[in-house]
Amino acid sequence: MQNKQKNKKINNNPIGIFDSGFGGLTVMSAINKALPLENLIYFGDTAHVPYGTKSKDAVIKFSKEIVAFLIEHKVKLIVIACNTASAFALPILQKTLKVPVIGVIEPGSKAAVHVSKNKKIGVIGTEGTVQSGAYLKEINKIKKTNVYQQACPLFVPLVEEGWTNSEITNSIVQKYIKPLLNKNIDTLVLGCTHYPLLRKVLEKNINKNIVLIDSAKATTHEVKNVLNQKSLLADGKQKNFLKFYVSDNPKKFKTIGRRFFSKKISDVKKIEME
């Protein structure tokens, strides 16, 4: 239990989590379930969503601005709950910040390598994530593996429209997934934080022996490990909080955010970014 950590320092400062929009809420939700005593601050850059179609320089710029905001709130750890931002901005942020910074690509890659038996791993993600080759590099850094990537640009709008189990979605999933199935993959990485909401329709269209890797769960495991190692766990003596900030349209964020987060999002504040 978190509150039974003996002989360890405690730190009730919040964990900062950010994404281009809504998808990172699946990561926040997983962290909240696994570490219920922790204070969490979420920032959704809804003014610039999606990151998947933006240039590397733009994503790095947005990420730096958001991180500056989170640091002002004295966060003890930052989670980049966005695959595109993890691919482009993580190395820079890790070098420049004093607090630990965790992305979603390395944890997801580790989990995929661990479960794959035939060394044939499929990765689905946004155009930005796929073009960066971040999963391909990270997976092969861990273990020499055959990695097959597939950009699925229509998945995010389908999820945000709430069309997670329609005939249209099923047809699109089939089209995107077919090239990967032809490669005889035994593991499929959900390389976008929106994609866990498509889990059921994906499972319907893949072989039963293919393992789906949810980077939200893998990232949560990594967060827990880092907090333990660095003695940063909260003690639960204070009432914990969940705070939500966006760069645009808080009303829409509350409405769509319900699909991604396990709890009611009661208050969302808009922050003007530079």
Side-chain angles (χ1 to χ4, degrees), residues 167-178:
E167 286 183 24
I168 294 171
T169 304
N170 193 65
S171 298
I172 291 169
V173 166
Q174 286 176 355
K175 189 168 181 64
Y176 281 146
I177 295 299
K178 189 176 179 181

Side-chain angles (χ1 to χ4, degrees), residues 128-154:
T129 299
V130 168
Q131 286 172 11
S132 74
Y135 274 102
L136 191 152
K137 293 168 195 168
E138 191 62 43
I139 289 170
N140 277 291
K141 193 165 80 176
I142 300 165
K143 190 175 185 179
K144 193 68 179 173
T145 308
N146 293 308
V147 181
Y148 306 101
Q149 302 183 102
Q150 177 65 50
C152 305
L154 293 177

